[in-house]
Amino acid sequence: MKQLKYISILLVFALFNTSCDDKAQMDYIQKNDLKGTWKITEIGRVNAANGIDYEAFKPSANCGTSIDNIVFNEDLSFVQNTYGDVADTCEEKSFPGTYAQANHTLTLVQTDAQGNHYTTTALITKLEFTNLELNFTDATNTLVFIKFVKE
């Protein structure tokens, strides 16, 4: 009987004396939910009643189905693609940069041809597998809301 009691105590001690070192040694990889191509679907602005009025994003007349988008890459780089009408043709412009995400804050940094850096900080209000919603203050100090859908 003493042996059974001794073995039981050893088993309980061994059970509670296990180390978490295996978990501590694991390399945790943070999933990058932003990775991919996101097309703008709606743009919103605050109205007089402090609500948000959204308008469907309309592509430029000469650009067909080409929709402004942003492509987030795994290496934390991105490209912002815009399409606009220029002299009856569609002109595509691409603006590369880098990004960082910390909790609900998304920071975008772009550099122009002269080496000037431009930083935009946006609040991520929704991030799902195929839906992204951001808000930020633009250059005119206006709060802007943008909805995206993942391609």
Side-chain angles (χ1 to χ4, degrees), residues 109-126:
V109 179
Q110 293 173 297
T111 305
D112 66 14
Q114 290 76 31
N116 300 312
H117 298 288
Y118 299 95
T119 301
T120 302
T121 302
L123 180 65
I124 299 172
T125 53
K126 183 178 194 178

Side-chain angles (χ1 to χ4, degrees), residues 5 8 12 20 40 43 53 55 86 111 125 127 129 134 138:
K5 185 176 178 181
S8 297
V12 169
C20 295
I40 297 176
I43 296 180
D53 291 331
E55 289 182 11
V86 176
T111 305
T125 53
L127 177 56
F129 185 69
L134 303 174
D138 68 9

Side-chain angles (χ1 to χ4, degrees), residues 8-22:
S8 297
I9 291 172
L10 280 177
L11 285 174
V12 169
F13 180 73
L15 179 69
F16 289 106
N17 197 26
T18 59
S19 173
C20 295
D21 287 344
D22 291 341

Side-chain angles (χ1 to χ4, degrees), residues 22-33:
D22 291 341
K23 290 181 182 178
Q25 298 296 325
M26 293 176 67
D27 290 328
Y28 289 100
I29 299 172
Q30 184 176 3
K31 185 177 176 185
N32 185 349
D33 291 323

Side-chain angles (χ1 to χ4, degrees), residues 21-145:
D21 287 344
D22 291 341
K23 290 181 182 178
Q25 298 296 325
M26 293 176 67
D27 290 328
Y28 289 100
I29 299 172
Q30 184 176 3
K31 185 177 176 185
N32 185 349
D33 291 323
L34 286 172
K35 183 181 141 191
T37 300
W38 297 88
K39 287 188 172 186
I40 297 176
T41 57
E42 297 179 64
I43 296 180
R45 303 221 185 255
V46 177
N47 61 29
N50 288 326
I52 303 170
D53 291 331
Y54 282 98
E55 289 182 11
F57 183 78
K58 296 178 180 94
S60 296
N62 294 315
C63 293
T65 59
S66 297
I67 301 283
D68 290 13
N69 64 68
I70 188 164
V71 180
F72 292 105
N73 300 306
E74 188 71 38
D75 65 356
L76 302 180
S77 67
F78 76 93
V79 178
Q80 178 183 358
N81 299 300
T82 62
Y83 301 88
D85 295 330
V86 176
D88 295 329
T89 63
C90 181
E91 181 177 88
E92 177 184 357
K93 292 184 180 178
S94 296
F95 304 96
T98 59
Y99 72 96
Q101 180 187 354
N103 297 320
H104 296 286
T105 302
L106 176 64
T107 304
L108 307 171
V109 179
Q110 293 173 297
T111 305
D112 66 14
Q114 290 76 31
N116 300 312
H117 298 288
Y118 299 95
T119 301
T120 302
T121 302
L123 180 65
I124 299 172
T125 53
K126 183 178 194 178
L127 177 56
E128 298 175 341
F129 185 69
T130 58
N131 295 299
L132 170 63
E133 294 180 19
L134 303 174
N135 67 66
F136 62 95
T137 303
D138 68 9
T140 64
N141 209 26
T142 302
L143 188 57
V144 178
F145 299 82

